[in-house]
DNA sequence: CTGAATCCCTGACGATACTG
DNA sequence: CAGTATCGTCAGGGATTCAG
């Protein structure tokens, strides 16, 4: 159902979907669920950092540019609650902790990939606009 | 480069990526760009509503559950700035306005589709957990 | 080193009322 | 109908400090 809508969308056929409040609501729900779990500035950056092999609190913190310790702590808890990672405390001294991605986190692969592809494409578009000095009203998404 | 990473991820091979701060930063940038443009609670819901044929301010407002007029107004401006839609004012009385998705907005199709698929999958997972009364610590993403 | 606790502040979001 | 103006709330996020 939504699949169709998206295919239509990818093809630029916007009219076909039609107006239907109920259909709209149903279509919305899963997207909002996803957004609910993946909310905030940090979820994706943290997961990316971890995919790249960072497991220790400090490592992740450095990999994710300038995130505050408290925030990272909170985000890690949320990610753990949602089953994306597991916390392993090693009883050494000083205590060291490992955060390990679960298999469930791999289900995010396609989402992240699409996000990455889109971001790359969009970035190039913005760059060209800047080069061409088109946008007086700069949409400023550049980092 | 990131493609590989994501393939690895989809296959559950987390170790392979290795630790590399520079690589991490580069991988992060496009994702954050995307998140920057698509931020907030409302961007996706609004676009979905519009894909489904809603063009008028009031229509969109009704289709998107309970969004405040001010907020909708702001979001529409942002979406326009980022080239996702065009505002067309008809000089009738009372004034009517049309918001029309641009072709550029279609590039979001794949992203939204993945988001929708993942959300659907995740929702089912949560439902099962609730049924099984597993989660005392309910991850509560249900709407 | 890890990460919890505290304090604080900005900005996203919301409700209501009002104008063209 | 389509917004703007105004005011208010609250959580995300940041700086700093403290403890195991």
């Amino acid at each position: 159902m939504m699949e169709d809508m998206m295919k239509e969308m990818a093809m630029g056929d916007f009219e076909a979907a039609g107006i239907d409040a109920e259909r709209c609501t149903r279509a919305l729900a899963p997207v909002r669920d996803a957004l609910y779990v993946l909310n905030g500035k940090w979820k994706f950056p943290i997961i990316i950092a971890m995919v790249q092999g960072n497991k220790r609190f400090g490592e992740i913190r450095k990999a994710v540019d300038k995130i505050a310790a408290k925030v990272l702590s909170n985000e890690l808890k949320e990610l753990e609650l949602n089953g994306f990672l597991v916390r392993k405390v090693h009883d050494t001294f000083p205590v060291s902790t490992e955060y390990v991605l679960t298999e469930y986190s791999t289900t995010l692969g396609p989402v992240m990939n699409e996000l990455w592809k889109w971001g790359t494409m969009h970035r190039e578009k913005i760059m060209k606009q800047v080069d061409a000095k088109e946008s007086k009203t700069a949409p400023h998404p550049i980092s």
Side-chain angles (χ1 to χ4, degrees), chain A residues 48-99:
Chain A
I48 290 179
M50 292 186 67
V51 171
Q52 287 170 333
N54 301 296
K55 294 177 187 293
R56 305 283 303 280
F57 189 89
E59 285 174 356
I60 299 172
R61 210 184 156 190
K62 255 168 276 172
V64 177
D65 188 41
K66 300 302 175 195
I67 184 174
K70 178 186 124 188
V71 177
L72 178 54
S73 185
N74 286 339
E75 299 288 304
L76 287 171
K77 275 177 203 162
E78 273 186 55
L79 290 172
E80 190 182 13
L81 261 184
N82 285 312
F84 294 127
L85 58 82
V86 174
R87 210 181 102 122
K88 289 181 183 171
V89 181
H90 297 267
D91 205 4
T92 59
F93 185 82
V95 182
S96 83
T97 314
E98 257 193 341
Y99 295 88

Side-chain angles (χ1 to χ4, degrees), chain A residues 5 16 20 22 28 42 47 52 62 71 98-99 102 126:
Chain A
M5 207 174 93
D20 179 341
E22 201 188 316
L28 231 50
W42 301 115
I47 292 176
Q52 287 170 333
K62 255 168 276 172
V71 177
E98 257 193 341
Y99 295 88
T102 63
I126 298 298

Side-chain angles (χ1 to χ4, degrees), chain A residues 2-32:
Chain A
M2 181 77 166
E3 307 275 357
D4 302 337
M5 207 174 93
M6 286 312 161
K7 268 181 222 147
E8 287 160 12
M9 185 166 185
M11 296 162 62
D13 181 5
F14 292 115
E15 309 306 320
I19 303 174
D20 179 341
E22 201 188 316
R23 194 178 167 198
C24 180
T25 304
R26 267 180 303 162
L28 231 50
V31 175
R32 299 210 50 172

